[in-house]
Amino acid sequence: MEAHEIQGQLCSSSCTDGVATIIGKSSGAVARIKKKNPNIESIHCCLHRHAFAMKRMPEDLKEVLGDVTKIVNFIKSRSLNVRIFSLLCEDMGSLHKHLLLHTEIRWLSRGKVLARFYKLCEEIGFFLCECYFELAYKLRDKCWIQKVAYLSDVFAYLNESNATMQGTRVTYFKVQSKMEALQRKLKLWGEYILTEKLECLENLSGFLFMNEISLSEDTKVSVLQHISGLCTTIGEYFPPHSEQLLWIQNPFVDSANTNDLPLKEKEQLIEISTDDTLRTKFQQEEMFDSNDHRIH
């Protein structure tokens, strides 16, 4: 901060990943920053908050996720099982020959594990029956597979939303916008699922179509509970930001509330906000970001 001439009294918050060496009360980085400004607020990294918000789910979906983990571990923990399962997938003409392991600390792996598991459900069912594994009957339970299909859909989408919050061009305001959009989309999904319009869930709708069945009431209730819970937890982890901070996002707005700024900084903001060259460059950058978002 000293090398870059960042004035501690102007910092309103410090974003961390929650590691003890960073947030330690005596020698942590946040503690040292607070010596310069006792009023500074320590906030949690948006990627970690996103991951924590996605962890909550109804008990039956947790149980399904636990069953998937047990099945994957049974196959992946023995080299003989891995080789036999790979040969089985090859004989059945599968696109993939291996399952993926879920690592808790790498939260994006959950969606990838579920997606691969769902794609290999038929092969896994054959393999578990031959091994007389205790959870083999799950792969014959269409209600259970419906829940697996839903989880693979929703976590693939949540992975995508998490990935869009990474990179050097992402700001606090962009994260808030993306989280608000995610909340609204999930609420829209809930309205569609309530009337059993499932085009928003590709794997689940495909499974129901292929098997000529309708969404089970048990699955429907669990899905709606999960989506409603996600909307709530997103609101808890990503509360709306203050309108007074909008001038940080756009210094050219006329309604900027800068009452808390010292005189020198107010004068600098006036110089920036009245510079037509900077205003044009800012508008071009905003247009670039908008086009880049549409491409993705």
Side-chain angles (χ1 to χ4, degrees):
M1 291 175 73
E2 291 174 356
H4 293 279
E5 298 181 354
I6 299 173
Q7 299 181 42
Q9 65 269 25
L10 295 180
C11 291
S12 62
S13 62
S14 172
C15 181
T16 76
D17 59 2
V19 177
T21 53
I22 299 293
I23 61 174
K25 293 183 179 180
S26 55
S27 60
V30 174
R32 298 183 67 178
I33 294 172
K34 284 188 174 182
K35 289 180 181 179
K36 300 285 186 181
N37 180 3
N39 297 321
I40 198 168
E41 181 184 0
S42 177
I43 61 175
H44 208 158
C45 166
C46 64
L47 298 178
H48 287 73
R49 281 186 283 152
H50 182 278
F52 290 143
M54 303 308 119
K55 275 189 170 184
R56 299 183 190 176
M57 62 178 71
E59 287 301 320
D60 58 333
L61 292 182
K62 275 187 181 179
E63 185 178 339
V64 170
L65 189 58
D67 291 339
V68 169
T69 302
K70 289 177 184 177
I71 292 170
V72 171
N73 288 343
F74 171 73
I75 297 175
K76 296 288 288 184
S77 61
R78 298 171 176 83
S79 57
L80 178 61
N81 285 350
V82 172
R83 292 196 297 271
I84 294 174
F85 182 74
S86 178
L87 290 172
L88 174 64
C89 292
E90 187 175 346
D91 289 343
M92 295 180 68
S94 307
L95 183 63
H96 303 286
K97 299 179 183 178
H98 299 283
L99 294 170
L100 303 176
L101 278 173
H102 169 51
T103 306
E104 187 66 26
I105 196 169
R106 299 179 64 183
W107 52 82
L108 295 185
S109 67
R110 184 187 302 170
K112 295 176 181 178
V113 169
L114 288 164
R116 180 66 61 85
F117 186 95
Y118 176 73
K119 289 178 181 177
L120 295 175
C121 265
E122 185 177 358
E123 294 83 349
I124 294 169
F126 278 116
F127 181 81
L128 296 183
C129 286
E130 291 296 322
C131 296
Y132 300 103
F133 186 59
E134 58 184 354
L135 295 176
Y137 73 95
K138 295 286 187 180
L139 277 299
R140 297 189 296 270
D141 184 346
K142 287 184 168 54
C143 183
W144 187 84
I145 297 179
Q146 285 181 31
K147 294 177 181 179
V148 173
Y150 163 72
L151 289 174
S152 68
D153 281 323
V154 74
F155 278 109
Y157 182 74
L158 295 175
N159 277 7
E160 183 182 338
S161 71
N162 189 284
T164 62
M165 296 193 298
Q166 303 178 34
T168 56
R169 299 182 68 87
V170 178
T171 65
Y172 164 82
F173 296 99
K174 288 183 179 179
V175 169
Q176 290 296 120
S177 299
K178 289 179 184 298
M179 289 299 97
E180 183 181 353
L182 178 59
Q183 264 187 312
R184 291 187 179 186
K185 286 180 182 179
L186 288 172
K187 288 178 181 178
L188 180 63
W189 283 17
E191 293 172 4
Y192 270 61
I193 294 167
L194 193 60
T195 57
E196 297 194 12
K197 297 177 182 178
L198 303 175
E199 56 261 41
C200 52
L201 302 170
E202 183 180 351
N203 288 338
L204 179 56
S205 60
F207 176 77
L208 298 176
F209 177 78
M210 290 293 293
N211 289 272
E212 298 181 348
I213 57 176
S214 58
L215 184 66
S216 71
E217 192 61 30
D218 181 45
T219 303
K220 183 177 179 180
V221 170
S222 297
V223 168
L224 290 174
Q225 284 180 351
H226 186 221
I227 289 177
S228 176
L230 282 175
C231 292
T232 302
T233 53
I234 289 172
E236 292 173 0
Y237 280 97
F238 296 90
H241 59 74
S242 172
E243 295 292 328
Q244 296 180 352
L245 300 177
L246 291 180
W247 67 270
I248 302 173
Q249 183 182 22
N250 183 0
F252 302 99
V253 295
D254 296 328
S255 58
N257 187 340
T258 59
N259 295 333
D260 295 333
L261 287 179
L263 175 61
K264 184 179 179 180
E265 279 65 39
K266 286 182 180 180
E267 291 175 346
Q268 290 177 344
L269 182 59
I270 290 173
E271 291 178 6
I272 293 172
S273 61
T274 54
D275 189 322
D276 290 336
T277 303
L278 287 178
R279 184 190 295 270
T280 302
K281 188 174 180 180
F282 177 81
Q283 290 172 347
Q284 290 173 346
E285 288 289 328
E286 287 291 296
M287 188 179 298
F288 172 81
D289 287 346
S290 178
N291 290 337
D292 185 56
H293 175 71
R294 283 199 292 270
I295 290 171
H296 284 298

